[in-house]
Amino acid sequence: MSASGSVITVHNPGTGEPLGEVESTSPERLAEAVEQAQLGQAAMAAMPAHERAALLGRIADLVEGERAELARLLAAENGKPLPQTRGEVEAAIRIFRGYAAEATRIFGRQTPLDAVPGLERHLAVTVREPLGVVAALVPFNYPVELYAHKAAAALAAGNAVLVQPPARCPLALARIAELVEAAGAPRYAHRLVPGGVRVSQALAESPGVAAVSLTGSTEAGREIARRGAGTLKKVLLELGGNDALIVCADADVEAAARAVVLGRLARGNGQICCAVKRVYVQEPVHDDFVSALLAQTAKLSVGDQLLESTDVGPLIAESAAERVEAAVGRLVADGARLATGGTRRGAFVDPAVLVDVPTESAAFAEEIFGPVAPVARFTDPADAVRMANESPYGLQAAVFTRDISRAFTIARQLDVGGVVINGSTALRAENLPFGGTKDTGGYREGLHDTLRDLTRQKTVVVTEAFG
């Protein structure tokens, strides 16, 4: 990515080839977009639920009609291998269709007032209404899927949405925005506002924005929350993670190793908030697990993300790869042993496995955004739980064990938003609440949860309704 004046030029992170341009949003254009979005929101709020559902269905159909082209464009600009971007586009299609159904299920409630003395003859109902204009701040790692979670939910609830696409890979979302318009969305109800940090901050501060939904770093989340506090808007934060995978002595070590490979080294090039980022292995199976992990890692193909055979493509930028390289160096300096990988070539990083990682290492506590699997030992599962919980993050965790009682016990003790038993932490289904505790932000995003969060409640009381 490079910026020239008000134009952002997007490049293939692996080859440096220019792919296209988008116009950066000036402060004047952004203020205009927020003002016009009020008109779009009024039009969306006036649409019956069945019409909003039909609109989202048409958007899903149009995206599905171009899924191959969108997947290729996303792979080129983002760096994820083509089979994975194909899956991401398909997830976005499901999400739009899921919210199409949810648009017709925005339920209120009737509360019996005869619970309060003197109010027995009154009737109270609570209805849900749109919030207003929603700002969707979309990250680079899964831009199409995470855009769908935010934009489809906003439209389903009767809101307008201003979408800030990731500056390094906005092209697929720019094309989807054209499809949203073609599907018949009301004018100004859906709009892209490309740009950098300045755009995010202005959206958070704007009194014309009712809610901001951000998926990003904890640092960015704190800044957006601080700026949003001035207008008391809703700020929905899904932030960083340092997800732990715990392998107990009775685990299937081959399956556990596969979960690390597929949930970290060969998924999203390791750039996933819920990827496996710390591995704790009980002493009796440590060596067997490491052997299985190294054998599976050796089979991974690193290279051109547009080839079907590629498992690991370039990171989003060379600077991102440099940060991963530096993090590996800090782990080694702290006493870890680099068992394989870690070599950087431009934006590419060979999948790295580190063993004998000291659990007190500051680098081990960091969120490394790349294909790196640090492995540490433990003797007692209680120690693994304690170490997992010492992280400031609390997104997801995974436990491998054949003992169902142990699995549920550890799951209950882990201070995280989700626990996967005998699978990778890198699991997200659109109909499940997704998010975490502590520095991960506390918010839960998913079909049922997000729609409620993007509405507000209004209570209507009819006095003397009953004779």
Side-chain angles (χ1 to χ4, degrees), residues 7 27 46 62 76 89 111 172 190 200 203 223 263 288 292 301 326 382 407 409 411:
V7 173
L62 290 174
V89 173
T111 303
H190 178 281
S200 306
L203 288 169
E223 181 66 13
D288 288 343
S301 170
T409 300

Side-chain angles (χ1 to χ4, degrees), residues 218 238-243 273 278 388-389 391-397 414-418 435-444:
T218 297
E238 197 279 288
L239 307 176
N242 195 359
D243 296 18
C273 57
R278 294 176 292 157
N389 285 342
S391 171
Y393 303 104
L395 184 49
Q396 300 208 132
L414 287 166
D415 187 2
V416 294
T437 62
K438 300 182 287 188
D439 283 1
T440 299
Y443 172 53
R444 299 296 184 274

Side-chain angles (χ1 to χ4, degrees), residues 50-249:
H50 69 87
E51 290 187 11
R52 296 199 303 272
L55 169 63
L56 292 171
R58 291 193 299 272
I59 294 170
D61 291 344
L62 290 174
V63 173
E64 186 172 41
E66 294 191 13
R67 62 187 184 276
E69 296 86 349
L70 286 167
R72 189 169 185 84
L73 176 58
L74 179 58
E77 64 174 338
N78 172 274
K80 288 203 301 290
L82 184 57
Q84 296 180 35
T85 58
R86 192 178 295 125
E88 179 176 349
V89 173
E90 290 169 354
I93 295 166
R94 292 196 309 271
I95 292 166
F96 267 95
R97 288 182 175 148
Y99 277 113
E102 290 299 309
T104 66
R105 295 195 287 260
I106 304 177
F107 300 124
R109 68 179 187 273
Q110 186 266 321
T111 303
L113 283 183
D114 60 358
V116 181
L119 301 183
E120 296 89 344
R121 294 162 62 89
H122 302 344
L123 172 69
V125 294
T126 301
V127 297
R128 288 195 168 269
E129 299 179 337
L131 275 180
V133 176
V134 176
L137 312 185
V138 182
F140 74 83
N141 56 343
Y142 278 79
V144 172
E145 181 176 348
L146 297 178
Y147 151 83
H149 270 293
K150 301 175 192 305
L155 295 174
N159 301 297
V161 60
L162 294 172
V163 178
Q164 184 187 11
R168 292 193 180 276
C169 51
L171 300 180
L173 291 190
R175 177 54 187 156
I176 290 175
E178 295 174 347
L179 298 178
V180 173
E181 182 178 359
R187 192 179 186 192
Y188 306 132
H190 178 281
R191 187 168 181 175
L192 258 60
V193 285
V197 173
R198 173 185 53 77
V199 170
S200 306
Q201 294 175 346
L203 288 169
E205 292 176 343
S206 173
V209 173
V212 176
S213 177
L214 165 72
T215 299
S217 70
T218 297
E219 180 183 8
R222 287 197 174 99
E223 181 66 13
I224 292 300
R226 185 183 69 80
R227 291 177 181 270
T231 52
L232 298 178
K233 61 170 53 69
K234 272 194 174 182
V235 179
L236 310 175
L237 303 174
E238 197 279 288
L239 307 176
N242 195 359
D243 296 18
L245 184 144
I246 297 171
V247 183
C248 296

